[in-house]
Amino acid sequence: MEWAWAAGSSSRNASGLYGTKGVPNATNVPGPRAGASSSSYGNGNAWLFGGIGRDSERNYGYLNDLWRFDGSEWTWVSGSDTKEATGEYGKQGLAAPENVPGARWGASSWSDVSGNLWLFGGSGLASGGIVNDLNDLWRFDGSEWTWVSGSATLGAAGEYGTRGVASPENTPGARRLASSWTDASGNLWLFGGWGRDAGNSGGWLNDLWRFDGSDWTWISGSDTVHAAGEYGKQGEAAPENVPGARHSASSWSDGSGNVWLFGGMGRDSEGNSGRLNDLWRFDGSEWTWVSGGDTVNAAGEYGTRGVTAPQNVPGAREAASFWTDVSGNLWLFGGSGRHSGGGLGQLNDLWRFDGSEWTWISGTDTGNAEGEYGTRGVAAPENVPGARMFASSWSDESGNLWLFGGAGFDSGGNAGDLNDLWRFAP
């Protein structure tokens, strides 16, 4: 189990190398960025969209460039190679070559069974030049974008309808940094984030939504902001259980149809705000609090590297990266949060959860560690990405875990935006 630095720069704030749109090239690489949306699809391919970072001229701002990674090379597919591009919505439901989402970061993304990329919300630019939270839903079919639902304007309130009932009028409110996943039936799921509730108040959310390809359904959680968590008894599912409102949580789906949610920034069982380290499982009907604390800002319990133990648990954090491997294990990397001493910093610890217990696999148990890059393309035990938050992540069909960019620390221990691509083979 070793990291390999695959592509990109080992130094912060590099330029993006776009090449020719639609043409893969070994020299192509997205610019440094944080909060980009990513999703894998068949044959080892992955999508990367937007974020906040550096464009082709090293200017810093909101991005709307779409990239495809084929396991070897990057291709710039659509969008602009400069910052702050506005959205071109066209007609709702109709694909067109000129359609494109506006520049944004913190959007939610999915890939469906047909290989389409779906994108929802984030914070950025709609059809005008003002920045705010969005609730537009887009589909990219590999060639063209379609604006599917939601508003072409900023800051829209949620239209919740009746809990459990799908309706064409329903739509989640504008938000960024929500958690997302797909189920075995091809439905898209969305949880929480920072955004707008039913009354258009802004704050942390804990509403759970399902999109069936046509309509949204409000499934659970509150239609108002800043709801506290209802934890119940650890290990027991119950209808009243629900995670507290939060953004920047990590989420996974497993082979049994369960969804897992970890941490983020939000509200605990007492309504206090801070970083969380609670792990939840959703079985499609009810939530179960599985591990971690029900209060904010817990330190990490690392134990011995490589040794699984019941008391092990990652510290409270937000904006960590996450994967599911071919064996169904959950993996968690970095973020911003609490390390073993309870101190606050950016993290580069890698954890595995086997469905029952946590194991600390690699990285440090302290904050703000620099990256150890080694030789490009060569895996080695001492290699490890630097501490970071808001990095993008995906897994391929060979079982490799991929990590791209984020805001963090380079090989010299300097903080900034990153565009390094890493591969980890469990």
Side-chain angles (χ1 to χ4, degrees):
M1 295 192 292
E2 296 175 345
W3 286 102
W5 170 35
S9 177
S10 62
S11 299
R12 61 178 180 168
N13 301 341
S15 297
L17 299 174
Y18 284 71
T20 302
K21 190 175 287 189
V23 179
N25 192 292
T27 62
N28 291 352
V29 65
R33 65 194 64 200
S37 305
S38 59
S39 186
S40 61
Y41 66 105
N43 301 318
N45 294 296
W47 298 108
L48 184 79
F49 176 86
I52 185 166
R54 307 282 171 170
D55 66 13
S56 61
E57 300 172 356
R58 290 190 68 192
N59 295 316
Y60 181 81
Y62 295 89
L63 303 166
N64 81 328
D65 46 351
L66 177 66
W67 294 80
R68 182 178 61 243
F69 182 70
D70 63 9
S72 176
E73 295 177 340
W74 287 102
T75 304
W76 171 35
V77 176
S78 87
S80 177
D81 63 349
T82 58
K83 64 173 186 172
E84 317 296 357
T86 57
E88 297 291 340
Y89 283 74
K91 184 177 180 180
Q92 194 169 83
L94 185 64
E98 61 271 19
N99 291 353
V100 64
R104 66 193 67 195
W105 81 294
S108 302
S109 59
W110 309 262
S111 289
D112 66 24
V113 293
S114 300
N116 298 304
L117 171 68
W118 294 78
L119 188 78
F120 175 84
S123 179
L125 296 93
S127 54
I130 301 171
V131 173
N132 206 327
D133 292 329
L134 299 150
N135 79 330
D136 47 353
L137 179 67
W138 293 82
R139 182 182 64 241
F140 184 74
D141 62 9
S143 176
E144 295 177 344
W145 286 100
T146 303
W147 170 35
V148 175
S149 78
S151 177
T153 58
L154 300 164
E159 299 289 342
Y160 285 73
T162 302
R163 195 192 307 260
V165 179
S167 171
E169 289 80 39
N170 292 352
T171 185
R175 68 191 65 199
R176 62 186 182 270
L177 304 173
S179 303
S180 57
W181 61 89
T182 57
D183 65 24
S185 300
N187 297 303
L188 313 181
W189 292 80
L190 185 78
F191 174 84
W194 177 276
R196 300 287 173 169
D197 65 12
N200 209 21
S201 295
W204 291 307
L205 299 159
N206 78 331
D207 48 352
L208 178 65
W209 293 82
R210 183 183 64 228
F211 184 76
D212 61 10
S214 177
D215 296 326
W216 287 101
T217 304
W218 172 33
I219 300 295
S220 79
S222 177
D223 62 354
T224 59
V225 296
H226 299 318
E230 297 291 341
Y231 283 72
K233 185 175 180 180
Q234 194 169 80
E236 293 187 8
E240 61 272 18
N241 291 354
V242 64
R246 66 192 67 197
H247 69 69
S248 305
S250 303
S251 59
W252 308 261
S253 56
D254 66 25
S256 300
N258 298 302
V259 172
W260 300 79
L261 186 79
F262 176 85
M265 173 71 82
R267 301 281 183 170
D268 66 12
S269 61
E270 300 171 355
N272 297 316
S273 60
R275 292 172 177 85
L276 300 155
N277 79 330
D278 47 351
L279 179 66
W280 293 80
R281 182 180 63 241
F282 181 71
D283 61 9
S285 176
E286 295 178 344
W287 288 100
T288 304
W289 170 35
V290 176
S291 81
D294 63 350
T295 57
V296 296
N297 300 331
E301 297 290 343
Y302 284 73
T304 302
R305 195 193 312 259
V307 178
T308 304
Q311 65 269 24
N312 292 353
V313 65
R317 66 192 65 199
E318 61 173 319
S321 302
F322 48 91
W323 308 264
T324 305
D325 68 22
V326 292
S327 300
N329 297 303
L330 315 181
W331 293 80
L332 183 78
F333 174 85
S336 174
R338 304 285 174 170
H339 51 68
S340 60
L344 180 62
Q346 293 195 39
L347 304 164
N348 78 331
D349 48 351
L350 178 66
W351 293 81
R352 182 185 65 224
F353 184 76
D354 62 8
S356 176
E357 295 176 343
W358 287 100
T359 307
W360 171 36
I361 300 295
S362 78
T364 70
D365 62 352
T366 58
N368 302 340
E370 66 183 35
E372 298 290 343
Y373 284 72
T375 302
R376 194 192 304 261
V378 179
E382 59 272 18
N383 291 353
V384 65
R388 66 192 66 198
M389 62 190 299
F390 293 122
S392 301
S393 55
W394 63 90
S395 55
D396 65 28
E397 294 169 336
S398 299
N400 297 303
L401 315 181
W402 295 86
L403 182 79
F404 175 82
F409 292 83
D410 66 11
S411 60
N414 301 304
D417 293 314
L418 303 163
N419 77 332
D420 48 351
L421 178 66
W422 293 82
R423 182 183 66 245
F424 183 80

mmCIF file of all heavy atoms in Angstrom, residues 354-393:
data_model
loop_
_atom_site.group_PDB
_atom_site.id
_atom_site.type_symbol
_atom_site.label_atom_id
_atom_site.label_comp_id
_atom_site.label_asym_id
_atom_site.label_seq_id
_atom_site.Cartn_x
_atom_site.Cartn_y
_atom_site.Cartn_z
ATOM 1 N N ASP A 354 -13.457 -0.653 7.747
ATOM 2 C CA ASP A 354 -13.817 -1.952 7.174
ATOM 3 C C ASP A 354 -15.276 -2.336 7.403
ATOM 4 O O ASP A 354 -15.655 -3.493 7.195
ATOM 5 C CB ASP A 354 -12.889 -3.033 7.716
ATOM 6 C CG ASP A 354 -12.986 -3.207 9.242
ATOM 7 O OD1 ASP A 354 -13.887 -2.593 9.860
ATOM 8 O OD2 ASP A 354 -12.163 -3.946 9.811
ATOM 9 N N GLY A 355 -16.074 -1.372 7.849
ATOM 10 C CA GLY A 355 -17.463 -1.637 8.180
ATOM 11 C C GLY A 355 -17.688 -1.796 9.655
ATOM 12 O O GLY A 355 -18.834 -1.789 10.126
ATOM 13 N N SER A 356 -16.584 -1.899 10.399
ATOM 14 C CA SER A 356 -16.674 -2.072 11.842
ATOM 15 C C SER A 356 -15.676 -1.203 12.596
ATOM 16 O O SER A 356 -16.019 -0.575 13.588
ATOM 17 C CB SER A 356 -16.444 -3.549 12.200
ATOM 18 O OG SER A 356 -16.433 -3.741 13.591
ATOM 19 N N GLU A 357 -14.421 -1.152 12.109
ATOM 20 C CA GLU A 357 -13.355 -0.451 12.822
ATOM 21 C C GLU A 357 -12.480 0.355 11.869
ATOM 22 O O GLU A 357 -12.374 0.045 10.674
ATOM 23 C CB GLU A 357 -12.489 -1.456 13.600
ATOM 24 C CG GLU A 357 -13.249 -2.166 14.705
ATOM 25 C CD GLU A 357 -12.425 -3.228 15.404
ATOM 26 O OE1 GLU A 357 -11.382 -3.647 14.851
ATOM 27 O OE2 GLU A 357 -12.825 -3.647 16.505
ATOM 28 N N TRP A 358 -11.821 1.380 12.440
ATOM 29 C CA TRP A 358 -10.925 2.251 11.687
ATOM 30 C C TRP A 358 -9.468 1.792 11.833
ATOM 31 O O TRP A 358 -9.072 1.287 12.883
ATOM 32 C CB TRP A 358 -11.017 3.677 12.212
ATOM 33 C CG TRP A 358 -12.264 4.432 11.876
ATOM 34 C CD1 TRP A 358 -13.344 4.633 12.687
ATOM 35 C CD2 TRP A 358 -12.552 5.115 10.645
ATOM 36 N NE1 TRP A 358 -14.286 5.406 12.045
ATOM 37 C CE2 TRP A 358 -13.833 5.719 10.795
ATOM 38 C CE3 TRP A 358 -11.866 5.282 9.455
ATOM 39 C CZ2 TRP A 358 -14.429 6.460 9.792
ATOM 40 C CZ3 TRP A 358 -12.450 6.023 8.447
ATOM 41 C CH2 TRP A 358 -13.716 6.609 8.618
ATOM 42 N N THR A 359 -8.676 2.021 10.757
ATOM 43 C CA THR A 359 -7.235 1.790 10.777
ATOM 44 C C THR A 359 -6.530 3.000 10.190
ATOM 45 O O THR A 359 -6.869 3.450 9.079
ATOM 46 C CB THR A 359 -6.840 0.556 9.948
ATOM 47 O OG1 THR A 359 -7.600 -0.570 10.372
ATOM 48 C CG2 THR A 359 -5.352 0.252 10.082
ATOM 49 N N TRP A 360 -5.556 3.531 10.923
ATOM 50 C CA TRP A 360 -4.691 4.604 10.407
ATOM 51 C C TRP A 360 -3.638 3.954 9.514
ATOM 52 O O TRP A 360 -2.856 3.136 9.964
ATOM 53 C CB TRP A 360 -4.060 5.350 11.583
ATOM 54 C CG TRP A 360 -2.995 6.341 11.243
ATOM 55 C CD1 TRP A 360 -2.933 7.149 10.152
ATOM 56 C CD2 TRP A 360 -1.840 6.644 12.034
ATOM 57 N NE1 TRP A 360 -1.811 7.941 10.203
ATOM 58 C CE2 TRP A 360 -1.124 7.651 11.349
ATOM 59 C CE3 TRP A 360 -1.345 6.166 13.255
ATOM 60 C CZ2 TRP A 360 0.075 8.176 11.850
ATOM 61 C CZ3 TRP A 360 -0.169 6.696 13.750
ATOM 62 C CH2 TRP A 360 0.526 7.693 13.052
ATOM 63 N N ILE A 361 -3.633 4.339 8.224
ATOM 64 C CA ILE A 361 -2.805 3.662 7.218
ATOM 65 C C ILE A 361 -1.507 4.407 6.925
ATOM 66 O O ILE A 361 -0.432 3.809 6.856
ATOM 67 C CB ILE A 361 -3.603 3.467 5.908
ATOM 68 C CG1 ILE A 361 -4.855 2.606 6.175
ATOM 69 C CG2 ILE A 361 -2.733 2.865 4.812
ATOM 70 C CD1 ILE A 361 -4.550 1.184 6.595
ATOM 71 N N SER A 362 -1.577 5.720 6.676
ATOM 72 C CA SER A 362 -0.377 6.477 6.321
ATOM 73 C C SER A 362 -0.561 7.939 6.671
ATOM 74 O O SER A 362 -1.629 8.355 7.120
ATOM 75 C CB SER A 362 -0.042 6.318 4.836
ATOM 76 O OG SER A 362 -0.868 7.135 4.017
ATOM 77 N N GLY A 363 0.500 8.727 6.446
ATOM 78 C CA GLY A 363 0.470 10.140 6.786
ATOM 79 C C GLY A 363 0.800 10.350 8.257
ATOM 80 O O GLY A 363 1.085 9.401 8.999
ATOM 81 N N THR A 364 0.736 11.604 8.680
ATOM 82 C CA THR A 364 1.111 11.947 10.046
ATOM 83 C C THR A 364 -0.110 12.092 10.938
ATOM 84 O O THR A 364 -1.234 12.242 10.465
ATOM 85 C CB THR A 364 1.899 13.273 10.081
ATOM 86 O OG1 THR A 364 1.019 14.356 9.775
ATOM 87 C CG2 THR A 364 3.046 13.269 9.074
ATOM 88 N N ASP A 365 0.142 12.065 12.271
ATOM 89 C CA ASP A 365 -0.931 12.312 13.233
ATOM 90 C C ASP A 365 -0.847 13.728 13.784
ATOM 91 O O ASP A 365 -1.400 14.036 14.842
ATOM 92 C CB ASP A 365 -0.918 11.282 14.356
ATOM 93 C CG ASP A 365 0.357 11.302 15.179
ATOM 94 O OD1 ASP A 365 1.309 12.010 14.800
ATOM 95 O OD2 ASP A 365 0.402 10.611 16.218
ATOM 96 N N THR A 366 -0.138 14.607 13.046
ATOM 97 C CA THR A 366 -0.064 16.031 13.377
ATOM 98 C C THR A 366 -0.511 16.842 12.165
ATOM 99 O O THR A 366 -0.756 16.292 11.092
ATOM 100 C CB THR A 366 1.364 16.429 13.789
ATOM 101 O OG1 THR A 366 2.267 16.116 12.713
ATOM 102 C CG2 THR A 366 1.793 15.677 15.039
ATOM 103 N N GLY A 367 -0.583 18.158 12.305
ATOM 104 C CA GLY A 367 -1.121 19.002 11.251
ATOM 105 C C GLY A 367 -0.062 19.626 10.362
ATOM 106 O O GLY A 367 1.121 19.708 10.698
ATOM 107 N N ASN A 368 -0.505 20.055 9.152
ATOM 108 C CA ASN A 368 0.260 20.908 8.236
ATOM 109 C C ASN A 368 1.558 20.277 7.728
ATOM 110 O O ASN A 368 2.573 20.953 7.532
ATOM 111 C CB ASN A 368 0.560 22.254 8.879
ATOM 112 C CG ASN A 368 -0.687 23.000 9.291
ATOM 113 O OD1 ASN A 368 -1.791 22.729 8.793
ATOM 114 N ND2 ASN A 368 -0.564 23.940 10.204
ATOM 115 N N ALA A 369 1.530 18.959 7.477
ATOM 116 C CA ALA A 369 2.710 18.253 6.980
ATOM 117 C C ALA A 369 2.961 18.571 5.514
ATOM 118 O O ALA A 369 2.025 18.676 4.709
ATOM 119 C CB ALA A 369 2.533 16.757 7.158
ATOM 120 N N GLU A 370 4.227 18.710 5.132
ATOM 121 C CA GLU A 370 4.595 18.893 3.726
ATOM 122 C C GLU A 370 4.503 17.569 2.985
ATOM 123 O O GLU A 370 4.492 16.494 3.580
ATOM 124 C CB GLU A 370 6.006 19.453 3.619
ATOM 125 C CG GLU A 370 7.095 18.511 4.094
ATOM 126 C CD GLU A 370 8.476 19.140 4.030
ATOM 127 O OE1 GLU A 370 8.597 20.358 4.261
ATOM 128 O OE2 GLU A 370 9.438 18.395 3.768
ATOM 129 N N GLY A 371 4.441 17.663 1.634
ATOM 130 C CA GLY A 371 4.372 16.463 0.818
ATOM 131 C C GLY A 371 5.737 15.827 0.611
ATOM 132 O O GLY A 371 6.757 16.526 0.531
ATOM 133 N N GLU A 372 5.741 14.498 0.544
ATOM 134 C CA GLU A 372 6.946 13.731 0.196
ATOM 135 C C GLU A 372 6.670 13.086 -1.155
ATOM 136 O O GLU A 372 5.983 12.076 -1.241
ATOM 137 C CB GLU A 372 7.239 12.686 1.270
ATOM 138 C CG GLU A 372 7.520 13.244 2.656
ATOM 139 C CD GLU A 372 8.853 13.974 2.727
ATOM 140 O OE1 GLU A 372 9.703 13.781 1.825
ATOM 141 O OE2 GLU A 372 9.041 14.747 3.691
ATOM 142 N N TYR A 373 7.215 13.682 -2.229
ATOM 143 C CA TYR A 373 6.809 13.329 -3.588
ATOM 144 C C TYR A 373 7.588 12.173 -4.191
ATOM 145 O O TYR A 373 7.047 11.399 -4.982
ATOM 146 C CB TYR A 373 6.921 14.556 -4.502
ATOM 147 C CG TYR A 373 5.807 15.558 -4.302
ATOM 148 C CD1 TYR A 373 5.759 16.356 -3.157
ATOM 149 C CD2 TYR A 373 4.795 15.700 -5.232
ATOM 150 C CE1 TYR A 373 4.735 17.273 -2.955
ATOM 151 C CE2 TYR A 373 3.762 16.614 -5.047
ATOM 152 C CZ TYR A 373 3.742 17.396 -3.893
ATOM 153 O OH TYR A 373 2.727 18.300 -3.706
ATOM 154 N N GLY A 374 8.865 12.049 -3.859
ATOM 155 C CA GLY A 374 9.676 11.019 -4.481
ATOM 156 C C GLY A 374 9.824 11.253 -5.965
ATOM 157 O O GLY A 374 9.862 12.397 -6.449
ATOM 158 N N THR A 375 9.901 10.175 -6.735
ATOM 159 C CA THR A 375 10.060 10.226 -8.191
ATOM 160 C C THR A 375 8.710 10.067 -8.865
ATOM 161 O O THR A 375 7.946 9.152 -8.529
ATOM 162 C CB THR A 375 11.007 9.110 -8.661
ATOM 163 O OG1 THR A 375 12.266 9.261 -7.997
ATOM 164 C CG2 THR A 375 11.208 9.167 -10.163
ATOM 165 N N ARG A 376 8.435 10.943 -9.811
ATOM 166 C CA ARG A 376 7.139 10.893 -10.493
ATOM 167 C C ARG A 376 6.907 9.512 -11.103
ATOM 168 O O ARG A 376 7.765 8.962 -11.805
ATOM 169 C CB ARG A 376 7.073 11.961 -11.581
ATOM 170 C CG ARG A 376 5.661 12.206 -12.101
ATOM 171 C CD ARG A 376 5.680 13.045 -13.370
ATOM 172 N NE ARG A 376 6.362 14.315 -13.216
ATOM 173 C CZ ARG A 376 5.768 15.493 -13.007
ATOM 174 N NH1 ARG A 376 4.449 15.535 -12.877
ATOM 175 N NH2 ARG A 376 6.461 16.593 -12.922
ATOM 176 N N GLY A 377 5.736 8.947 -10.820
ATOM 177 C CA GLY A 377 5.344 7.659 -11.377
ATOM 178 C C GLY A 377 5.823 6.450 -10.608
ATOM 179 O O GLY A 377 5.466 5.318 -10.963
ATOM 180 N N VAL A 378 6.626 6.655 -9.559
ATOM 181 C CA VAL A 378 7.199 5.535 -8.806
ATOM 182 C C VAL A 378 6.619 5.510 -7.392
ATOM 183 O O VAL A 378 6.807 6.458 -6.609
ATOM 184 C CB VAL A 378 8.736 5.644 -8.737
ATOM 185 C CG1 VAL A 378 9.311 4.483 -7.932
ATOM 186 C CG2 VAL A 378 9.330 5.684 -10.142
ATOM 187 N N ALA A 379 5.916 4.433 -7.049
ATOM 188 C CA ALA A 379 5.389 4.277 -5.697
ATOM 189 C C ALA A 379 6.514 3.951 -4.733
ATOM 190 O O ALA A 379 7.458 3.234 -5.070
ATOM 191 C CB ALA A 379 4.337 3.172 -5.667
ATOM 192 N N ALA A 380 6.416 4.478 -3.504
ATOM 193 C CA ALA A 380 7.429 4.222 -2.483
ATOM 194 C C ALA A 380 6.807 4.389 -1.100
ATOM 195 O O ALA A 380 5.893 5.196 -0.919
ATOM 196 C CB ALA A 380 8.614 5.166 -2.650
ATOM 197 N N PRO A 381 7.303 3.635 -0.097
ATOM 198 C CA PRO A 381 6.706 3.698 1.244
ATOM 199 C C PRO A 381 6.738 5.083 1.872
ATOM 200 O O PRO A 381 5.865 5.430 2.658
ATOM 201 C CB PRO A 381 7.561 2.706 2.047
ATOM 202 C CG PRO A 381 8.201 1.822 1.043
ATOM 203 C CD PRO A 381 8.390 2.651 -0.189
ATOM 204 N N GLU A 382 7.790 5.868 1.539
ATOM 205 C CA GLU A 382 7.926 7.183 2.170
ATOM 206 C C GLU A 382 7.114 8.276 1.477
ATOM 207 O O GLU A 382 6.976 9.383 2.004
ATOM 208 C CB GLU A 382 9.395 7.610 2.233
ATOM 209 C CG GLU A 382 10.087 7.708 0.893
ATOM 210 C CD GLU A 382 10.711 6.411 0.413
ATOM 211 O OE1 GLU A 382 10.329 5.346 0.943
ATOM 212 O OE2 GLU A 382 11.575 6.462 -0.483
ATOM 213 N N ASN A 383 6.556 7.994 0.310
ATOM 214 C CA ASN A 383 5.753 8.985 -0.400
ATOM 215 C C ASN A 383 4.448 9.259 0.336
ATOM 216 O O ASN A 383 3.809 8.331 0.836
ATOM 217 C CB ASN A 383 5.401 8.503 -1.809
ATOM 218 C CG ASN A 383 6.590 8.430 -2.740
ATOM 219 O OD1 ASN A 383 7.688 8.866 -2.400
ATOM 220 N ND2 ASN A 383 6.370 7.883 -3.923
ATOM 221 N N VAL A 384 4.051 10.528 0.351
ATOM 222 C CA VAL A 384 2.747 10.875 0.913
ATOM 223 C C VAL A 384 2.379 12.287 0.471
ATOM 224 O O VAL A 384 3.234 13.174 0.439
ATOM 225 C CB VAL A 384 2.740 10.766 2.456
ATOM 226 C CG1 VAL A 384 3.677 11.770 3.109
ATOM 227 C CG2 VAL A 384 1.326 10.897 3.015
ATOM 228 N N PRO A 385 1.127 12.519 0.060
ATOM 229 C CA PRO A 385 0.709 13.888 -0.254
ATOM 230 C C PRO A 385 0.795 14.786 0.971
ATOM 231 O O PRO A 385 0.634 14.329 2.103
ATOM 232 C CB PRO A 385 -0.759 13.713 -0.703
ATOM 233 C CG PRO A 385 -0.899 12.264 -1.037
ATOM 234 C CD PRO A 385 0.042 11.540 -0.140
ATOM 235 N N GLY A 386 1.033 16.059 0.732
ATOM 236 C CA GLY A 386 1.016 17.020 1.818
ATOM 237 C C GLY A 386 -0.390 17.223 2.362
ATOM 238 O O GLY A 386 -1.391 16.902 1.712
ATOM 239 N N ALA A 387 -0.464 17.765 3.568
ATOM 240 C CA ALA A 387 -1.750 18.062 4.182
ATOM 241 C C ALA A 387 -2.546 19.004 3.295
ATOM 242 O O ALA A 387 -1.995 19.934 2.698
ATOM 243 C CB ALA A 387 -1.526 18.681 5.554
ATOM 244 N N ARG A 388 -3.867 18.776 3.225
ATOM 245 C CA ARG A 388 -4.713 19.580 2.329
ATOM 246 C C ARG A 388 -6.185 19.397 2.649
ATOM 247 O O ARG A 388 -6.593 18.431 3.294
ATOM 248 C CB ARG A 388 -4.458 19.200 0.873
ATOM 249 C CG ARG A 388 -4.869 17.783 0.511
ATOM 250 C CD ARG A 388 -4.332 17.374 -0.843
ATOM 251 N NE ARG A 388 -2.883 17.280 -0.847
ATOM 252 C CZ ARG A 388 -2.122 17.277 -1.947
ATOM 253 N NH1 ARG A 388 -2.696 17.360 -3.142
ATOM 254 N NH2 ARG A 388 -0.817 17.174 -1.868
ATOM 255 N N MET A 389 -6.973 20.322 2.118
ATOM 256 C CA MET A 389 -8.428 20.266 2.211
ATOM 257 C C MET A 389 -9.023 20.576 0.836
ATOM 258 O O MET A 389 -8.354 21.143 -0.031
ATOM 259 C CB MET A 389 -8.942 21.260 3.254
ATOM 260 C CG MET A 389 -8.628 22.702 2.949
ATOM 261 S SD MET A 389 -8.975 23.861 4.295
ATOM 262 C CE MET A 389 -10.735 23.661 4.524
ATOM 263 N N PHE A 390 -10.269 20.159 0.640
ATOM 264 C CA PHE A 390 -10.994 20.411 -0.616
ATOM 265 C C PHE A 390 -10.275 19.849 -1.833
ATOM 266 O O PHE A 390 -10.335 20.419 -2.930
ATOM 267 C CB PHE A 390 -11.261 21.906 -0.805
ATOM 268 C CG PHE A 390 -12.217 22.487 0.188
ATOM 269 C CD1 PHE A 390 -11.840 23.548 1.001
ATOM 270 C CD2 PHE A 390 -13.497 21.975 0.337
ATOM 271 C CE1 PHE A 390 -12.716 24.101 1.931
ATOM 272 C CE2 PHE A 390 -14.385 22.501 1.259
ATOM 273 C CZ PHE A 390 -13.992 23.576 2.062
ATOM 274 N N ALA A 391 -9.562 18.720 -1.668
ATOM 275 C CA ALA A 391 -9.007 18.006 -2.808
ATOM 276 C C ALA A 391 -10.104 17.182 -3.475
ATOM 277 O O ALA A 391 -11.135 16.871 -2.876
ATOM 278 C CB ALA A 391 -7.862 17.110 -2.365
ATOM 279 N N SER A 392 -9.876 16.799 -4.725
ATOM 280 C CA SER A 392 -10.815 15.960 -5.471
ATOM 281 C C SER A 392 -10.333 14.514 -5.438
ATOM 282 O O SER A 392 -9.126 14.252 -5.392
ATOM 283 C CB SER A 392 -10.919 16.447 -6.916
ATOM 284 O OG SER A 392 -11.346 17.796 -6.960
ATOM 285 N N SER A 393 -11.268 13.569 -5.481
ATOM 286 C CA SER A 393 -10.898 12.165 -5.352
ATOM 287 C C SER A 393 -11.835 11.285 -6.158
ATOM 288 O O SER A 393 -13.003 11.604 -6.341
ATOM 289 C CB SER A 393 -10.909 11.747 -3.881
ATOM 290 O OG SER A 393 -12.156 12.028 -3.270
#
